[in-house]
Amino acid sequence: MSLIRLKGGTVYDPINGVNGLRRDIAIRDGRIVNVPDHVPADVEYDAEGMVVMAGGIDLHSHIGGGKTNISRLLLPEDHRTDLAREAERARACEANGGAVLEPPTPTRDAEGRYLRLPSCGVCTPGTLATGYRYAEMGYTAAFEPAMMASNARHAHLEMGDTPIIDHGAYVMLGNDELFLQLLASGAGTERIRDYVGWTLNASKALGVKVVNPGGISAFKFNQRALDVDEAHVHYGVTPRDVLRTLTRALTELRVPHPLHVHASNLGVPGNLASTIKTMDAADGLPIHLTHIQFHSYGTEGPQKFSSGAREIAEAVNARPNVTIDVGQVIFGQTVTASGDTMMQFRNAPFARPHKWVMGDIECDAGCGVVPFRYREQSYVNALQWIIGLEIFLLVDDPWRVSMTTDHPNGGPFTSYPHLIRLLMDKSFRDEQLAKLHPEAQVASALRELKREFSLYEIAIITRAGPAKLLGLRDRGHLGEGAAADIAVYRNQDDRERMFTSPAYVFKDGHLVARDGTLVSVPTGGIHFVTPDYDRGIEKTLRAWSDANLTTNFAHAAISNDEACACCRGGRLLPVECFSAEEAENR
């Protein structure tokens, strides 16, 4: 029952309309409470002159599941290279006198040599390093966007092994054989809705993700591309049919997060047309287009590759039912890990280093893992970097755009402070633009865009907006009753440095980091939804499982007790589905 108070910070809390006001924040039992200033606190932290925000929320980051582990195994050199960086972090920790529990840095042996932490890496850090580095930046939650239903236990176990941060996942549908069979046979929308509801419940998911709608399945039948209104060679359904059916199902189930869509034709020049068709396939119902930078390409110019950012931003601005995250490209080595085997097979020849993996599980979905190096002097890579920033700057409403790099596909999540500086500092942005391939600079409108994000807008795209989009009513804000997930930053002109090492980070009211150094390592919780559905669908599911799968249907669903065990005893954080009135007004 002890009372903690943050004194004198400058608060940015968009959900409650607080824009740079100096005020105290009081915490009791892991929650923000309204306590008069004259009531003495048991512990006080001086936040005078500092910026106070809710903990960051990454709504799209590949941190759990089979392809994440494949990525780690495919690039052992990434983990070896990271050793030098970890050693430097250890020296900095010692210089600051920081105490680190379950340290995110290498330790020394008896002879003073640094030992390698078995959880490191830059492109795809291990589970421990992932939790540490998010927390060190002031992030308190991250969500896996591509969990296969047949692999859900592994995804939850891996996320549960990621310390400090809360987590959750979106289950993949739209390419699984049963869904496509139901859709092709003309099964009623109620049966498909119940199948979606059962899958969400059974896999303990927070939402539904569709990757290249129908395209992963079509690739297995030797189709090499599938546009929005092109029929699947075997099932005869189109991506538009898939999108329309799933958006309607989620709307009827009142799931807060809209259908999370990896659209058709990722990375293909000219794909901006199919991206806009994807928006319209929802028929005005809520839809979220993820890593939209990879879907915003034109065919103009001598290289037949151009920016479609303006057209995409205008389309988003004109459609209030559409939300997006960007998937910003960051220069350097990374690894692309995607369920879109059609696209990853096409990209395999460009792997750097030249090695790759393709996989499939139970005809449920696929994955492809391809290492890649984004280069400043590559015309295509430079334009991808430009397109992402153009989209950020051209979308009018920051509540409808979330900050992501599609970790690790566009770049590691640890580059978020650098991305924040690019958005807030035009002169810095122009300096970086000047380093790029000269033809890409000429093809860009970026230099003419004068917009600089404010701290209030940064709080929206990294905290308040994602929380609202995911239905996390007690996260992403600093109002009374909210979870005390809080990041306190020293206000510096260099925004990259500022957002790299917060002065204080609190998770559920516990201090977990101070000036970039961990001081405690609590266990995070799991967010998920439990929509109502007709359990009669289980008869169809059991028959399908018995006839086609190697697993026992009786073990398909993950219970609450098992989910808690997967999370190392972390709290279950069920997310309420919308009421009928909320669903009507969303």
Side-chain angles (χ1 to χ4, degrees):
M1 295 293 289
S2 61
L3 180 67
I4 301 170
R5 181 176 283 117
L6 297 177
K7 290 281 294 180
T10 303
V11 175
Y12 293 85
D13 182 13
I15 285 179
N16 293 300
V18 179
N19 185 3
L21 296 182
R22 184 183 181 279
R23 60 173 54 174
D24 296 350
I25 302 288
I27 304 168
R28 178 180 284 136
D29 294 334
R31 294 278 165 177
I32 295 174
V33 293
N34 185 11
V35 174
D37 292 346
H38 67 267
V39 175
D42 298 282
V43 181
E44 285 193 349
Y45 294 90
D46 182 9
E48 187 72 36
M50 299 182 190
V51 170
V52 181
M53 296 182 178
I57 298 172
D58 192 346
L59 64 69
H60 187 109
S61 181
H62 296 279
I63 59 170
K67 64 183 176 300
T68 304
N69 256 348
I70 294 171
S71 302
R72 291 166 180 151
L73 292 168
L74 193 61
L75 287 177
E77 60 268 41
D78 175 49
H79 301 269
R80 289 193 295 267
T81 301
D82 194 37
L83 179 58
R85 191 174 79 99
E86 290 291 347
E88 181 59 34
R89 287 159 58 89
R91 286 190 288 271
C93 172
E94 291 175 355
N96 290 334
V100 181
L101 302 181
E102 198 178 346
T105 54
T107 56
R108 283 175 173 162
D109 66 8
E111 298 179 8
R113 297 171 302 192
Y114 278 100
L115 302 176
R116 182 176 306 156
L117 181 74
S119 177
C120 51
V122 177
C123 304
T124 49
T127 53
L128 302 183
T130 295
Y132 298 151
R133 291 174 188 168
Y134 265 120
E136 288 162 359
M137 296 190 306
Y139 272 72
T140 53
F143 295 88
E144 164 58 49
M147 175 177 69
M148 290 189 282
S150 58
N151 200 36
R153 278 181 175 81
H154 175 225
H156 286 303
L157 281 165
E158 197 156 349
M159 290 186 290
D161 197 50
T162 303
I164 307 175
I165 61 173
D166 294 333
H167 52 83
Y170 321 136
V171 65
M172 291 173 65
L173 287 172
N175 282 283
D176 49 301
E177 299 298 306
L178 179 55
F179 172 85
L180 291 169
Q181 284 188 19
L182 290 171
L183 188 59
S185 67
T189 56
E190 293 82 3
R191 282 190 78 203
I192 295 179
R193 179 197 63 208
D194 292 335
Y195 172 44
V196 173
W198 178 88
T199 304
L200 282 163
N201 276 272
S203 62
K204 284 291 184 287
L206 182 59
V208 170
K209 166 83 169 291
V210 60
V211 174
N212 189 359
I216 301 172
S217 172
F219 180 68
K220 300 171 189 177
F221 293 90
N222 209 31
Q223 272 185 285
R224 291 295 184 260
L226 190 66
D227 208 349
V228 176
D229 292 303
E230 185 177 357
H232 188 295
V233 68
H234 180 73
Y235 289 107
V237 300
T238 67
R240 186 183 295 273
D241 297 328
V242 173
L243 292 164
R244 182 180 289 124
T245 302
L246 287 174
T247 51
R248 180 174 176 182
L250 289 172
T251 301
E252 292 181 357
L253 290 167
R254 301 176 184 170
V255 173
H257 188 45
L259 180 64
H260 199 94
V261 180
H262 164 135
S264 309
N265 299 316
L266 182 143
V268 177
N271 63 9
L272 69 92
S274 60
T275 302
I276 295 172
K277 289 180 183 177
T278 297
M279 297 179 192
D280 292 335
D283 292 336
L285 296 177
I287 187 170
H288 180 85
L289 273 68
T290 191
H291 45 63
I292 201 168
Q293 177 277 136
F294 289 106
H295 305 271
S296 302
Y297 304 152
T299 57
E300 298 176 359
Q303 302 207 38
K304 303 301 180 184
F305 184 81
S306 59
S307 172
R310 190 171 295 278
E311 293 92 329
I312 292 297
E314 289 173 353
V316 172
N317 291 337
R319 293 164 174 80
N321 63 306
V322 174
T323 56
I324 64 170
D325 63 78
V326 172
Q328 176 66 39
V329 158
I330 300 294
F331 295 115
Q333 179 68 53
T334 193
V335 57
T336 63
S338 173
D340 194 342
T341 45
M342 178 183 282
M343 175 270 293
Q344 291 292 68
F345 181 79
R346 184 174 63 245
N347 288 341
F350 305 108
R352 296 294 182 274
H354 191 66
K355 48 187 174 179
W356 50 270
V357 175
M358 301 288 158
D360 184 88
I361 297 179
E362 295 278 20
C363 295
D364 181 20
C367 79
V369 180
V370 181
F372 195 79
R373 187 176 299 117
Y374 292 103
R375 298 177 294 113
E376 292 179 337
Q377 292 308 307
S378 161
Y379 170 80
V380 171
N381 296 165
L383 203 55
Q384 289 176 306
W385 180 88
I386 288 167
I387 290 168
L389 293 174
E390 287 178 337
I391 292 170
F392 272 119
L393 299 169
L394 289 169
V395 171
D396 294 335
D397 184 0
W399 287 95
R400 295 201 286 128
V401 55
S402 295
M403 192 177 79
T404 64
T405 58
D406 186 20
H407 167 82
N409 293 294
F413 66 81
T414 47
S415 58
Y416 286 162
H418 178 72
L419 178 52
I420 288 173
R421 185 179 180 189
L422 287 169
L423 294 174
M424 296 190 73
D425 186 342
K426 175 171 167 49
S427 61
F428 177 69
R429 194 163 65 225
D430 289 344
E431 289 173 9
Q432 303 307 301
L433 178 63
K435 299 176 182 179
L436 306 187
H437 191 290
E439 291 182 34
Q441 295 183 48
V442 172
S444 168
L446 186 59
R447 198 177 297 279
E448 283 69 53
L449 298 177
K450 296 182 170 25
R451 180 179 178 183
E452 292 180 321
F453 273 57
S454 65
L455 286 169
Y456 190 76
E457 289 173 314
I458 293 298
I460 293 173
I461 68 173
T462 61
R463 289 149 165 85
K468 184 178 179 181
L469 193 56
L470 296 172
L472 309 182
R473 303 181 193 219
D474 64 345
R475 314 281 156 155
H477 70 95
L478 300 172
E480 184 177 3
D485 294 350
I486 305 171
V488 182
Y489 300 94
R490 301 185 191 281
N491 199 352
Q492 303 176 67
D493 292 335
D494 184 340
R495 299 304 193 186
E496 182 172 353
R497 183 175 180 182
M498 170 180 167
F499 281 95
T500 296
S501 298
Y504 308 109
V505 181
F506 295 86
K507 180 74 189 76
D508 292 315
H510 299 285
L511 182 67
V512 296
R514 186 197 299 264
D515 290 316
T517 299
L518 291 181
V519 297
S520 64
V521 186
T523 301
I526 173 176
H527 294 280
F528 58 94
V529 291
T530 55
D532 291 329
Y533 65 94
D534 183 350
R535 294 188 178 274
I537 192 66
E538 292 182 3
K539 181 178 180 180
T540 299
L541 295 168
R542 184 180 297 276
W544 164 261
S545 175
D546 292 346
N548 297 282
L549 304 182
T550 60
T551 53
N552 187 334
F553 181 74
H555 303 151
I558 301 172
S559 68
N560 282 357
D561 287 345
E562 188 177 1
C564 188
C566 285
C567 296
R568 293 183 173 231
R571 290 186 303 146
L572 301 180
L573 302 169
V575 173
E576 290 183 30
C577 288
F578 286 139
S579 66
E581 182 179 357
E582 288 172 323
E584 183 71 24
N585 296 327
R586 65 185 298 187

